[in-house]
Amino acid sequence: MHPFALSRAVDASMAIAGHADDPQLSFIAGGTDLLGLIKDRAALPERLLDINGLRGMAQIEALPDGGLRIGALARMSDVAADVEVRRRFPVIAEGLLFAASGQLRNMASIGGNIMQRTRCSYFRDGDDLPCNKRRPGTGCAALAGINRTHAIFGWSESCVATHPSDVAVAFAAMDANVIVRSRTGERSIPFTQFHRLPGDSPDRDNVLERGDLIVAVEVPARVEGRSSYYLKVRDRQSYEFALVSVAAGVATSARTITSVRLAMGGVAHKPWRLTAAESALRGVSLDDANVLRAAIATAFVEARPLPDNAFKVELAQRAVLRALETAGARA
Ligand SMILES: Cc1cc2nc3c(=O)[nH]c(=O)nc-3n(C[C@H](O)[C@H](O)[C@H](O)COP(=O)(O)OP(=O)(O)OC[C@H]3O[C@@H](n4cnc5c(N)ncnc54)[C@H](O)[C@@H]3O)c2cc1C
Ligand code: SF4
């Protein structure tokens, strides 16, 4: 195990300044991803700053306008069990409940969850196979290797990994915002712009800079929130990451779709919004499966499967249809 020094933060400004000034320091919340990365030598911080003592960052607030503010230190299990989260945005509660295990969800925080790194096995491999995310400039072992679980959208020659978070897919579908505090103040980053595509620099998963502390995720009130659903397809029914997943939310008038929100997990380096399908589905009846299928297909024109994962293109479209129909049944 790589040795590190551990200290505890009591003041957010000091934590932010410490992180900004010290490139060898990492924040640690639940530690359920970071400690695994350290064991796999995919992260080698010299100093860990425990942020769990920072005040005001663990609350789950139901906002008067119908939205939510979820503190970055709120635990996955607490958010999943919150009555207002379940009532207003079942897709968020389900995205959390289908993730990891009970014990992990009790430890793991919302901020840490959206910051978790890819499960690409070459990235996590202690033998240091070529991996541009782990060691920039070494290549991508997955591109010509085993890439069954990898991306079908938005990948580059440098990296074909997917983002593993489930709840991030639900947040992306609901147009949440990540609230980040730094030395210069607080800013709000639209969730769909928080994670990056790999491009030439897959070592960077998101747009955060040093000295950035996630303080909350805010979910605006959404008419599609109450009739929403999270569908996760995986190799085994529990304790497994998604092959593909879908967050769907829909608003209807007499079974006709008036607006819909769709995002997918397991298909790209970031949660992937199906914007073409969202437009094509407006005005379609939830009872017309053939038209629904055709509208969903518009978002898959740009799919670029890898040698081992062409099955995801069909699987993903079937999953979207099922998620949409299930969300529609809640409308
Ligand atoms: C066996 C296993 C199975 C899993 N299955 C799933 C699954 O199916 N679906 C799923 O979504 N997840 C899954 N996970 C991942 C799990 O959800 C994450 O490990 C967890 O959410 C990370 O939260 P944490 O608080 O423990 O983060 P930590 O490990 O403490 O931190 C992770 C990263 O986030 C950074 N960080 C933490 N908080 C902040 C903050 N406030 N501001 C800025 N940076 C911060 C840390 O510096 C670190 O880089 C699984 C994990 C394991 C080990
Ligand atoms: S897909 Fe990305 S994470 Fe996986 S080996 Fe290639 S560069 Fe590394």
Side-chain angles (χ1 to χ4, degrees), residues 19 25-37 43 48-49 51-52 54 57 72-76 95-96 98-101 104-105 107-117 119 124 164-168 194 208 212-216 230 232 234 236 239-242:
H19 194 269
L25 181 142
S26 283
F27 295 139
I28 184 165
T32 61
D33 193 41
L34 186 54
L35 292 177
L37 291 168
L48 298 186
L49 185 59
I51 57 173
N52 289 297
L54 296 181
M57 277 176 52
L73 289 172
R75 266 36 201 183
M76 288 171 72
L96 290 163
F98 289 141
S101 66
L104 284 161
R105 294 193 296 270
M107 283 296 288
S109 67
I110 292 296
N113 185 291
I114 65 172
M115 290 291 286
Q116 66 178 290
R117 306 210 71 195
R119 305 309 291 197
R124 301 256 169 182
S165 167
D166 287 296
V167 74
F194 180 76
L208 291 193
D212 280 343
L213 175 72
I214 301 168
V215 292
Y230 188 74
K232 181 170 178 178
R234 42 193 164 167
R236 57 180 180 194
Y239 201 35
E240 186 55 282
F241 291 90

Side-chain angles (χ1 to χ4, degrees), residues 211-260:
D212 280 343
L213 175 72
I214 301 168
V215 292
V217 174
E218 286 185 353
V219 193
R222 289 276 164 230
V223 63
E224 306 89 349
R226 283 179 192 241
S227 42
S228 62
Y229 179 65
Y230 188 74
L231 175 68
K232 181 170 178 178
V233 182
R234 42 193 164 167
D235 281 331
R236 57 180 180 194
Q237 255 320 89
S238 74
Y239 201 35
E240 186 55 282
F241 291 90
L243 278 174
V244 300
S245 68
V246 186
V250 66
T252 56
S253 170
R255 299 285 294 163
T256 296
I257 296 172
T258 52
S259 65
V260 59

Side-chain angles (χ1 to χ4, degrees), residues 56-207:
M57 277 176 52
Q59 279 107 329
I60 305 160
E61 293 168 70
L63 302 175
D65 68 353
L68 293 173
R69 181 180 164 99
I70 303 172
L73 289 172
R75 266 36 201 183
M76 288 171 72
S77 46
D78 293 332
V79 180
D82 186 274
V83 171
E84 285 304 320
V85 174
R86 294 164 68 103
R87 199 167 65 88
R88 297 180 183 198
F89 297 97
V91 69
I92 294 174
E94 289 162 354
L96 290 163
L97 280 176
F98 289 141
S101 66
Q103 291 92 333
L104 284 161
R105 294 193 296 270
N106 288 341
M107 283 296 288
S109 67
I110 292 296
N113 185 291
I114 65 172
M115 290 291 286
Q116 66 178 290
R117 306 210 71 195
T118 183
R119 305 309 291 197
C120 171
S121 46
Y122 300 103
F123 170 72
R124 301 256 169 182
D125 192 304
D127 288 340
D128 271 347
L129 290 165
C131 175
N132 289 320
K133 194 181 274 298
R134 186 178 170 116
R135 285 184 300 139
T138 56
C140 172
L143 191 57
I146 298 170
N147 44 44
R148 177 176 175 270
T149 58
H150 291 68
I152 57 170
F153 289 115
W155 53 267
S156 72
E157 297 291 316
S158 299
C159 179
V160 295
T162 56
H163 196 272
S165 167
D166 287 296
V167 74
V169 181
F171 285 147
M174 294 295 133
D175 274 332
N177 292 293
V178 185
I179 312 301
V180 176
R181 197 176 299 163
S182 71
R183 269 177 167 159
T184 53
E186 217 165 89
R187 66 189 192 280
S188 172
I189 304 172
F191 207 90
T192 49
Q193 293 166 31
F194 180 76
H195 296 102
R196 297 177 67 251
L197 288 179
D200 294 332
S201 48
D203 51 311
R204 292 194 60 206
D205 295 341
N206 55 57
V207 298

